[in-house]
């Protein structure tokens, strides 16, 4: 794949027009004034029929699993058939276009539909899929995926303190807290990852188990949204669990081993693949704004774009844009071929994309000078938003470790 085809360009224009009409006029409200982003996202989902397509895919998978007569029996066959490059492209285009103006919208939508909904569809029992999945996949309900804790940082499993203990009646009692949880303040459905408290088992050796929790359960408290450096359009908060009772029907996958460390790690891989598309949208917009400003801004009787130092900045931005676009196209092609990136490649893509977005956004502010420091310019928002790409879904430092370990066979 070397460029978007005619149909993809048409979709790209339609999404860009939607963003221009529905997102940009409301940008200050969702970024700075605390207005939740979900109504805008739901309108986009309905406008482009994403809810209808999600329901069709959901119905087909449920029908296959019922016909097979066993929960999850079709997972292997669906993986063998690979993905559709067209479907992958249609997933990437909205991500790119939204991130040109509001990266947080992609984060909020991706966590709800992709991580929470995807966890239920990928590892849930048939009954769990029928009960919880479709409202998440259409954003009728807001989902959260909760693994991070106040003291865990990059050692998400080793430092995890939230625990579930068996109640002796087939269910569990959960205690602990989670923080930096995307959609946490507004989530209707929460995929909670915690440790199983078993007598005689050291904390670091405890099983990782996951539960599907609902808003309003006794003992579950959801905080107000945090005030953050960037991505204000993605509400983030804390969860507090005090003797939350979860029946066996809420244990994701129906067993204590169905969605453990491997399931959570697979989710991290899924997150990393989308970061290149997010970075591409941000870099495209930063370059677009910087080129326009370099043409129009006059200093010493001539446009600042005539200065070689400004030209160097613009040239480096274009190099980053081209590299990111090629990464996105490669991901689309691999998906169409039914292949997956290695851990090293996925981590390398995430590492480069995050650093490129941060560097380009910072230089865009520099090109704009004092105006770039003003909220009105929008490049300052791009710079603040870009920073999170170097932190979530694995910090830059953790990506370096993952790449090296995978290359030398110690992953």
């Amino acid at each position: 794949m070397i460029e978007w085809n005619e149909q993809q360009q048409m979709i790209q224009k339609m999404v860009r027009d939607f963003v221009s009409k529905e997102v940009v006029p409301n940008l200050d409200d969702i970024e700075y004034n605390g207005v939740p982003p979900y109504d805008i996202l739901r309108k986009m989902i309905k406008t482009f029929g994403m809810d209808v397509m999600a329901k069709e895919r959901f119905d087909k998978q449920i029908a296959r699993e019922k016909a097979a007569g066993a929960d999850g029996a079709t997972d292997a066959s669906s993986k063998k058939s690979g993905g559709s490059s067209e479907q992958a492209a249609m997933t990437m285009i909205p991500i790119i276009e939204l991130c040109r103006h509001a990266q947080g919208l992609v984060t909020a939508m991706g966590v709800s539909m992709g991580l929470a909904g995807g966890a239920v569809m990928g590892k849930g029992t048939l009954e769990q899929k029928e009960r919880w999945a479709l409202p998440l996949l259409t954003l009728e309900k807001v989902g959260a995926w909760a693994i991070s804790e106040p003291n865990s940082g990059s050692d998400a499993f080793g430092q995890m303190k939230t625990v579930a203990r068996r109640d002796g009646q087939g269910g569990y009692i959960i205690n602990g807290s989670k923080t930096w949880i995307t959609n946490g303040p507004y989530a209707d459905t929460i995929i909670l990852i915690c440790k199983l408290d078993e007598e005689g088992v050291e904390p670091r050796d405890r099983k990782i188990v996951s539960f599907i929790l609902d808003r309003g359960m006794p003992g579950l408290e959801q905080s107000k949204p945090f005030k953050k450096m960037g991505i204000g359009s993605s509400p983030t908060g804390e969860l507090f669990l005090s003797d939350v009772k979860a029946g066996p029907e809420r244990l994701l996958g129906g067993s204590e081993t169905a969605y453990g460390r491997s399931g959570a790690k697979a989710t991290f891989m899924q997150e990393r693949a989308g970061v290149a598309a997010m970075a591409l949208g941000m870099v495209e917009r930063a370059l677009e704004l910087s080129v326009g400003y370099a043409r129009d801004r006059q200093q010493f009787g001539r446009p600042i774009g005539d200065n070689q130092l400004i030209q160097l900045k613009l040239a480096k931005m274009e190099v980053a844009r081209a590299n990111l676009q090629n990464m996105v196209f490669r991901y689309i092609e691999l998906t169409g071929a039914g292949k997956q990136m290695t851990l090293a490649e996925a981590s390398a893509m995430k590492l480069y994309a995050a650093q490129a977005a941060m560097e380009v956004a910072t230089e865009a502010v520099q090109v704009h000078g004092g105006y770039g420091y003003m909220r009105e310019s929008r490049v300052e928002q791009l710079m603040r938003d870009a920073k999170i790409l170097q932190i979530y879904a694995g910090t830059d430092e953790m990506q370096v470790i993952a790449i090296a370990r995978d290359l030398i066979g110690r992953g």
Side-chain angles (χ1 to χ4, degrees):
M1 183 174 184
I2 58 173
E3 62 183 8
W4 301 114
N5 63 34
E6 188 174 340
Q7 181 185 8
Q8 291 161 356
Q9 289 178 21
M10 181 181 69
I11 297 296
Q12 185 182 50
K13 183 181 184 304
M14 291 170 63
V15 176
R16 188 168 295 185
D17 288 344
F18 176 89
V19 172
S20 178
K21 293 175 183 177
E22 301 293 341
V23 176
V24 174
N26 297 295
L27 203 51
D28 285 348
D29 281 341
I30 60 175
E31 288 292 338
Y32 309 119
N33 299 332
V35 175
Y38 308 109
D39 286 344
I40 289 176
L41 289 170
R42 289 180 182 121
K43 187 170 185 178
M44 185 186 76
I45 288 166
K46 288 188 178 297
T47 298
F48 294 99
M50 296 164 66
D51 53 340
V52 175
M53 290 186 287
K55 188 177 187 308
E56 289 176 352
R57 290 194 296 269
F58 173 82
D59 288 341
K60 287 179 181 178
Q61 181 169 336
I62 295 300
R64 286 197 302 267
E65 293 188 14
K66 285 184 176 180
D71 295 350
T74 60
D75 284 356
S77 61
S78 62
K79 287 178 182 177
K80 286 180 183 177
S81 62
S84 160
S85 59
E86 192 64 28
Q87 182 177 324
M90 293 308 175
T91 299
M92 289 297 187
I93 288 171
I95 292 175
I96 295 167
E97 294 304 315
L98 284 171
C99 283
R100 288 167 58 88
H101 297 278
Q103 185 217 123
L105 291 178
V106 172
T107 304
M109 181 172 65
V111 168
S112 186
M113 300 170 70
L115 301 192
V120 178
M121 287 302 290
K123 296 295 183 179
T125 64
L126 181 58
E127 290 76 15
Q128 288 171 344
K129 291 170 187 176
E130 291 185 306
R131 178 176 175 181
W132 281 292
L134 189 57
L136 293 173
L137 297 174
T138 60
L139 206 64
E140 176 187 337
K141 291 189 175 181
V142 177
W145 190 81
I147 188 170
S148 299
E149 296 189 5
N151 297 313
S152 64
S154 297
D155 188 12
F157 297 123
Q159 296 296 318
M160 188 175 287
K161 305 297 183 186
T162 301
V163 297
R165 59 179 175 82
R166 302 184 185 101
D167 64 6
Q169 299 176 336
Y172 301 83
I173 298 175
I174 309 171
N175 284 280
S177 64
K178 297 290 180 178
T179 194
W180 307 312
I181 305 304
T182 298
N183 297 331
Y186 300 105
D188 301 297
T189 304
I190 300 163
I191 306 300
L192 184 94
I193 297 99
C194 62
K195 286 191 172 182
L196 183 64
D197 186 2
E198 296 180 283
E199 188 176 348
V201 179
E202 291 295 319
R204 291 194 68 92
D205 298 327
R206 289 171 177 167
K207 291 178 185 175
I208 300 296
V209 291
S210 301
F211 296 89
I212 308 173
L213 306 181
D214 291 318
R215 168 183 286 276
M217 292 178 65
L220 173 62
E221 180 184 347
Q222 297 167 244
S223 77
K224 293 180 179 180
F226 290 151
K227 295 184 183 300
K228 309 192 297 291
M229 174 189 283
I231 60 170
S233 52
S234 172
T236 306
E238 289 181 286
L239 305 175
F240 303 97
L241 302 102
S242 178
D243 290 335
V244 174
K245 296 180 180 179
E249 76 281 358
R250 293 182 177 275
L251 183 62
L252 184 57
S255 78
E256 294 174 353
T257 58
Y259 190 81
R261 295 173 192 261
S262 61
K265 287 180 178 179
T267 301
F268 283 137
M269 286 281 287
Q270 179 183 341
E271 281 187 293
R272 290 170 190 175
V275 169
M278 298 171 75
L280 175 58
M282 300 174 74
V283 166
E284 282 184 351
R285 183 61 175 159
L287 177 58
E288 182 180 277
L289 291 171
S290 297
V291 168
Y293 194 78
R295 285 173 176 161
D296 298 337
R297 176 62 169 160
Q298 298 276 331
Q299 285 285 359
F300 306 108
R302 62 177 184 172
I304 62 170
D306 288 352
N307 299 321
Q308 286 188 333
L309 286 175
I310 298 297
Q311 292 172 0
L312 177 61
K313 294 179 189 300
L314 298 178
K316 287 185 175 180
M317 291 182 191
E318 171 59 15
V319 171
R321 186 208 63 78
N323 286 340
L324 289 167
Q325 181 173 270
N326 288 336
M327 286 181 175
V328 170
F329 285 168
R330 172 166 169 74
Y331 172 77
I332 292 170
E333 288 291 300
L334 283 172
T335 301
K339 297 180 180 180
Q340 289 187 331
M341 291 182 175
T342 64
L343 175 61
E345 187 172 8
S347 296
M349 183 170 72
K350 198 271 182 184
L351 177 65
Y352 175 82
Q355 292 182 345
M358 191 65 212
E359 289 169 7
V360 168
T362 302
E363 288 289 55
V365 172
Q366 196 70 19
V367 168
H368 283 73
Y371 179 56
Y373 204 69
M374 301 297 109
R375 185 171 292 179
E376 178 188 354
S377 73
R378 295 299 179 189
V379 292
E380 63 86 33
Q381 180 197 331
L382 288 170
M383 180 179 175
R384 289 185 291 101
D385 286 358
K387 187 59 188 175
I388 194 61
L389 296 182
Q390 294 185 285
I391 298 172
Y392 71 10
T395 64
D396 282 4
E397 292 77 14
M398 294 306 296
Q399 302 306 324
V400 170
I401 293 171
I403 294 165
R405 285 182 175 175
D406 195 48
L407 289 175
I408 61 179
R410 294 183 61 184

